[in-house]
Structure formats: C-alpha cells, structure tokens
Amino acid sequence: MKYILFFSILLTTTSCMKEVDLEYLRPDPKLVLNSVASAGEPLKASLSRTWFYTEDYPNVTIEDAKVELYVNDRLFEEMSWNVEETEYYAVGNYVSSYIPVPGDKVRVEAKREGFKEAVGEEIVPDKPSLLKLYAESYEEDIYGYTSSKRRYKVTFRDEPSVQNCYLISIVYGTPHYEYDYDDLEKPPVYSGIYYWRNESIDYASDPVFGNRVSILDKVMGSDWLSGYNGRPFSDELFDGKEYTMALDANSYYGHNPIFPLPGEALPDSARVYLYAISEPYYKYLSALATLSDGSFNNDLADIGLAEPVRVFNNIEGGLGILGTACVDSLTVAIQELN
C-alpha cells in the first residue's frame, strides 16, 4: 500500500505540471540611456539595452552606437566610447568634453541600428543656497559601553515661486595619525591628511523625510530611513523659506584603548553636499530610495499584495534617466559636547 500511495502521488503531481513557453511575451528591445549633467563635471553617459529574463544575464552594454550631445538646441559634439577593458561596465562609458553650466539645456540622443532612437533632455539647475552647517558629537551610554554619536544641522534657503528638488549627503573626516608600532607608548603624529567616509544618517529624524514612514512601519519597527550616499527631498514643507534640517547619524564609534591618544588631538570634521536636482531626477532617485527602504509596503509588494514601486524614467523612445544637478558644500569642525 505504501508504494501504491507513493506512485499515485507522483502521477498526480506529474499530471499537474505544464511547460509554458514565454517567448511570445518577449518585447522588442529598447535602448537604455543613463546620464547626469552635473555642473562643473564633464558629461558622461551609459548606454545599454533591455533584456528578457530567459537570456540569463547577457552583456547588454552597447559600444557601437551614435551618441550626440546638444547644448541649448545646438549640436555640441558626438560623444565617444572611452572605456578600458577592466572598466567595461563602468558608469559613463560614453564621454564628452562638455562641462555643464547652470541654465544650459542639455539633450542626449542615442541611435543604433535595430533600436528606436532614445532621447533625453533637461535643464541644469542653479546652485542651491547652502547657508550653514553645524555638527556636534556627544557621548551615549549603551549597555555599559560609552560611544559617541553625531548630530548635524544644515541650513539653506529655498527659492520661492518654483518647485525645487534637492539631494543631501553628509561625510565625516577623521585626522590620520601615524603610530610607532615598536613603541605604542609614544604619542602618534598627525600625518597631514583626513580620511573621509560617508555618514550613515537616519533621515527619519527630520520632518522633511518623516512622512515617508507609515504607522505600520513604526509598529513593525522600521521607523528609520537610510540613504548611505544621500537622500532626495523636495521643498514641499518649506517652499520659499529658510529651513534648518536636523539629522542624526546611525553609526557609533569609539576609541580603541590599545592605541594611545594623540597629545593635541585635531577635531573631526563634517562636510555636507547639497545638490539642486531636476524634478525627473528627483522622481528617479526617490523611487530608488523607496526600493531600498525596509518598509512594510515593500514586504507586501514582494509577495504580490501591494503595488510595486515603479522607477521613473524620462527617456523618449527608450528607458533610463537624464538627470541634472548643481552642488554646494560646507565643511566645519565637529563640536565635542562631552
């Protein structure tokens, strides 16, 4: 009876299997154009194509296309393929000699046989009005271990009467000291350089980002927002006003007691980058930030119970993003509160 039951289940399972050929669903491939025109930096662009999942991760980079750059409706030049073999998948495999200027209208046109022409066009925004940066470090006792945590306050002024979009990113720098490892009792000597690292910020600590956290997210314990390389936002809450953004860092750090402290310790430093970005680029980056968040909605979307996040694109005839940006920055010493 045991074997009869086994073969009965096997036959039932086999009879429920059906091979489905999905090739008839394969869409026509499209060019994928990605570029960011950032004021003061040479313009680069990446060009590839879409692929169907049955292709098993093919090489989709396109190196034999005609990519033309127009500035203020005039042909500036044809962008050239310029990538070393070791950097074949690098961002920006088509390069130009053009350096974007605020107010310029930039258009990139990509053409390649077998594909529709892909075109993106945007205007480079003006430099944002970054006014002040204040950074402080304070000690916090967690489970009997004292660690330091950082807090940042960034003040800027928003231009009135227009919708403005931004991206903020913070890095911190620590002075690099050289030690005599043969005699660790000797005080270290400052090497003359700072080591800079991306700061891990909890963006939910400021109201500008707080509305991104739903009540369900708070209940489930996901009440913070990441953004290791920065996070986009708009002027919806402070249109035309001066605003001070307060941000707390996630990371904790402390001194390793094995190494001696320097005699005259230099202060750690903080640097904020505030980018004014085009609205399409803001929508694109916002979608990517939402996808990376550990939100309850994302969990539901993964199992088909919620609408998935759709990544914005502004490329006519193809896919991708042509974004524009202009940056301002400030650097200050981090104040020690304890």
Side-chain angles (χ1 to χ4, degrees):
M1 289 296 295
K2 180 173 63 175
Y3 294 106
I4 294 174
L5 180 60
F6 172 77
F7 283 111
S8 298
I9 295 174
L10 181 61
L11 290 173
T12 303
T13 306
T14 306
S15 65
C16 293
M17 296 178 61
K18 181 179 180 181
E19 184 175 341
V20 180
D21 183 9
L22 298 179
E23 284 300 310
Y24 76 96
L25 296 175
R26 179 191 292 267
D28 293 333
K30 294 183 178 180
L31 291 177
V32 180
L33 174 63
N34 290 296
S35 179
V36 178
S38 184
E41 299 181 7
L43 180 68
K44 299 180 180 180
S46 295
L47 188 66
S48 60
R49 66 168 177 85
T50 58
W51 57 278
F52 201 49
Y53 82 99
T54 57
E55 294 182 61
D56 194 23
Y57 297 95
N59 175 18
V60 295
T61 306
I62 295 177
E63 60 179 283
D64 57 350
K66 184 177 184 180
V67 182
E68 294 179 320
L69 170 64
Y70 289 80
V71 179
N72 298 324
D73 296 323
R74 298 183 62 179
L75 178 62
F76 185 87
E77 66 182 0
E78 181 176 340
M79 300 178 69
S80 59
W81 172 269
N82 184 21
V83 175
E84 299 292 337
E85 183 177 353
T86 57
E87 300 177 340
Y88 194 75
Y89 296 101
V91 175
N93 41 37
Y94 285 87
V95 300
S96 74
S97 60
Y98 166 66
I99 298 179
V101 174
D104 277 357
K105 181 167 67 174
V106 178
R107 185 170 79 250
V108 179
E109 299 181 356
K111 305 173 185 177
R112 206 255 194 183
E113 185 177 354
F115 296 87
K116 290 184 179 180
E117 180 181 9
V119 180
E121 181 178 275
E122 282 299 325
I123 295 177
V124 181
D126 293 328
K127 190 176 182 180
S129 298
L130 183 57
L131 303 178
K132 183 181 179 181
L133 168 63
Y134 173 77
E136 62 187 24
S137 174
Y138 58 95
E139 292 184 353
E140 192 168 78
D141 189 3
I142 300 179
Y143 303 116
Y145 178 73
T146 300
S147 295
S148 296
K149 196 174 182 181
R150 291 178 286 265
R151 180 182 294 121
Y152 303 95
K153 296 180 181 179
V154 184
T155 304
F156 53 92
R157 183 182 296 109
D158 182 69
E159 182 183 355
S161 305
V162 294
Q163 182 180 12
N164 297 295
C165 302
Y166 304 94
L167 181 137
I168 189 169
S169 177
I170 296 176
V171 298
Y172 70 95
T174 54
H176 176 59
Y177 295 94
E178 295 179 347
Y179 290 84
D180 185 350
Y181 292 100
D182 294 327
D183 186 1
L184 290 179
E185 293 185 0
K186 287 185 178 180
V189 179
Y190 174 54
S191 66
I193 60 175
Y194 270 68
Y195 284 163
W196 292 93
R197 305 171 183 85
N198 289 325
E199 181 68 283
S200 177
I201 297 291
D202 177 14
Y203 288 93
S205 56
D206 189 88
V208 167
F209 304 99
N211 60 359
R212 300 281 183 177
V213 182
S214 68
I215 296 177
L216 285 176
D217 289 328
K218 294 179 180 180
V219 171
M220 301 299 292
S222 299
D223 56 350
W224 57 275
L225 294 174
S226 62
Y228 192 64
N229 292 314
R231 194 170 181 101
F233 63 98
S234 70
D235 62 355
E236 181 180 358
L237 295 182
F238 52 84
D239 185 23
K241 300 177 182 179
E242 184 176 303
Y243 185 76
T244 297
M245 180 177 291
L247 298 171
D248 293 331
N250 280 321
S251 57
Y252 293 85
Y253 62 98
H255 174 70
N256 189 335
I258 296 177
F259 297 100
L261 291 170
E264 295 183 2
L266 294 172
D268 292 346
S269 294
R271 181 177 298 157
V272 60
Y273 295 96
L274 182 66
Y275 295 82
I277 59 178
S278 58
E279 185 178 356
Y281 195 32
Y282 162 73
K283 292 179 179 179
Y284 171 79
L285 292 176
S286 295
L288 296 186
T290 301
L291 284 171
S292 66
D293 291 337
S295 67
F296 184 67
N297 185 79
N298 283 352
D299 293 337
L300 291 178
D302 288 342
I303 58 176
L305 297 180
E307 186 71 19
V309 176
R310 298 185 181 276
V311 179
F312 182 85
N313 88 91
N314 66 343
I315 302 300
E316 295 184 9
L319 297 172
I321 188 73
L322 173 61
T324 55
C326 189
V327 66
D328 194 8
S329 66
L330 286 174
T331 304
V332 298
I334 299 177
Q335 304 297 316
E336 299 285 345
L337 298 186
N338 302 91

